[in-house]
Amino acid sequence: MTLLNLRLLTVQEYHRMAEIGIFEEDERVELLAGQIVKMAAKGTAHSAAVTRTDKLLNNLLGQRILVRLQDPVRLNDYSEPEPDIAVVVPDPLYYEDYHPTPSEVYLIIEVADTTLRTDCGIKATIYAQSGIADYWVLDVNNRQLHVFREPNQDGYQSIVVLGDDASISPLQFPDVSLMVRDMLRPLVSI
């Protein structure tokens, strides 16, 4: 098979395409490694996990952070994903003039109900190559948290999968501990 010589889009070109109306108003896309990628529809389990995790992070970390939900993070000139949750350095203008960059990101969390392979694959690689030190994928179906740390150009050197009975601390906030189960649907006892 012959490899194609692809022409990658920059973030500026991607923004320009949106400005001139190339994308439908309700079309959900993001720029990954210079390519426009359709985003998966958000199921109810996905949305609930995002809401639970947002509330948990805000309750535990308060004014120390700003939580952005499904908003862009500019990783480099060719990638501007829209992670489910980005925990970033607080900005007095709430990033009105630009999207947060890797040096302003404490933690990225993707919630996976149908996107586990993509979130743990290509997205993990892109986040690692951009230097995102703490990347989590919350697998709502298997009740697990995939924790990616120690990024380099080849990917993450540390990958740990935690069950719902485990606790974890964000790298930048070792004084705070979260239970994986608190980000997931409560189990109902019969």
Side-chain angles (χ1 to χ4, degrees), residues 50-94:
V50 169
T51 302
R52 268 188 213 95
T53 305
D54 171 39
K55 185 173 183 176
L56 182 64
L57 289 166
N58 276 301
N59 285 343
L60 291 171
L61 293 166
Q63 300 300 313
R64 297 164 67 184
I65 61 164
L66 175 63
V67 176
R68 291 171 50 97
L69 303 179
Q70 298 159 343
D71 286 331
V73 173
R74 182 173 178 168
L75 299 179
N76 54 44
D77 288 341
Y78 294 95
S79 290
E80 191 174 82
E82 296 184 19
D84 293 315
I85 299 170
V87 180
V88 299
V89 174
D91 180 80
L93 296 178
Y94 297 90

Side-chain angles (χ1 to χ4, degrees), residues 30-33 39 68-76 78-88 100-103 105-111 115-116 118-138 146-157:
E30 61 188 342
L31 185 66
L32 299 177
M39 296 171 67
R68 291 171 50 97
L69 303 179
Q70 298 159 343
D71 286 331
V73 173
R74 182 173 178 168
L75 299 179
N76 54 44
Y78 294 95
S79 290
E80 191 174 82
E82 296 184 19
D84 293 315
I85 299 170
V87 180
V88 299
T101 60
S103 66
V105 173
Y106 293 132
L107 169 66
I108 297 263
I109 304 173
E110 294 285 5
V111 175
T115 59
L116 184 62
T118 301
D119 293 339
C120 291
I122 186 66
K123 281 196 173 181
T125 300
I126 290 168
Y127 287 132
Q129 290 172 343
S130 299
I132 300 298
D134 209 4
Y135 172 53
W136 302 354
V137 177
L138 183 63
H146 298 248
V147 180
F148 298 82
R149 292 180 170 163
E150 300 176 25
N152 70 25
Q153 290 305 300
D154 296 325
Y156 285 97
Q157 302 310 296

